[in-house]
């Protein structure tokens, strides 16, 4: 094969690897933006469960900064509750489903953003 073809092949083969850190950072920023748009009204600007809506709520929103509480939840559970709402995991119906608003990729990214708020990993499962 000629050298030019080999150069192009190597360049295009490596491009996804070289761009991956930027895609990850971009996904994190998008998740942070989605959290600000859809979640802070109840969960608060800091993710501590102290949003503007709490005075009118019969069930207090989850504190996403609570390591013990958040570490007891799997990423699968967090994904499901964001996508399908609180009733999907036997929690409050006040937690709305966001599956018609956010894509599965956006929800996965949001789960990872929640992990940055609690500075914890999820339970196995």
């Amino acid at each position: 094969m000629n050298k030019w073809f080999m150069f192009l092949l190597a360049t295009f083969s490596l491009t996804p690897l070289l761009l991956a850190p930027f895609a990850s950072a971009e996904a994190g920023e998008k998740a942070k933006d989605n959290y600000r748009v859809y979640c802070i009204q109840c969960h608060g600007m800091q993710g501590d469960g102290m949003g503007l809506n709490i005075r009118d709520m019969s069930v207090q929103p989850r504190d996403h900064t609570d390591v013990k509480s958040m570490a007891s939840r799997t990423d699968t559970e967090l994904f499901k509750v964001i996508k399908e709402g609180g009733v999907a995991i036997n929690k409050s119906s006040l937690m709305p489903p966001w599956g018609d608003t956010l894509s599965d990729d956006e929800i996965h990214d949001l789960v990872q953003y929640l992990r940055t708020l609690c500075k914890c990993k999820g339970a196995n499962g």
Side-chain angles (χ1 to χ4, degrees):
M1 286 190 223
N2 78 34
K3 291 179 184 179
W4 180 245
F5 179 77
M6 294 299 291
F7 171 77
L8 288 175
L9 182 62
T11 300
F12 288 110
S13 296
L14 292 175
T15 299
L17 296 174
L18 296 173
L19 295 178
F22 298 107
S24 178
E26 184 179 307
E29 283 302 310
K30 178 72 171 160
K32 188 175 184 179
D33 290 343
N34 282 335
Y35 191 86
R36 288 178 182 153
V37 171
Y38 301 108
C39 308
I40 66 168
Q41 299 86 338
C42 298
H43 295 282
M45 291 183 69
Q46 306 304 316
D48 58 5
M50 303 300 288
L52 296 172
N53 292 343
I54 65 168
R55 65 184 172 93
D56 298 320
M57 299 176 81
S58 58
V59 176
Q60 296 303 296
R62 173 124 2 242
D63 176 352
H64 293 144
T65 64
D66 181 343
V67 175
K68 184 177 179 183
S69 172
M70 292 297 290
S72 71
R73 296 279 175 203
T74 65
D75 288 355
T76 301
E77 287 174 305
L78 295 177
F79 179 89
K80 185 171 184 160
V81 74
I82 295 167
K83 183 172 180 127
E84 300 175 24
V87 296
I89 63 164
N90 297 316
K91 294 295 180 185
S92 175
S93 62
L94 296 176
M95 170 62 191
W98 294 107
D100 290 337
T101 304
L102 300 170
S103 70
D104 284 0
D105 286 342
E106 289 173 316
I107 295 172
H108 283 294
D109 292 341
L110 197 50
V111 168
Q112 293 312 304
Y113 179 71
L114 294 177
R115 294 297 179 204
T116 68
L117 292 176
C118 70
K119 299 178 178 90
C120 67
K121 295 184 187 273
N124 293 333

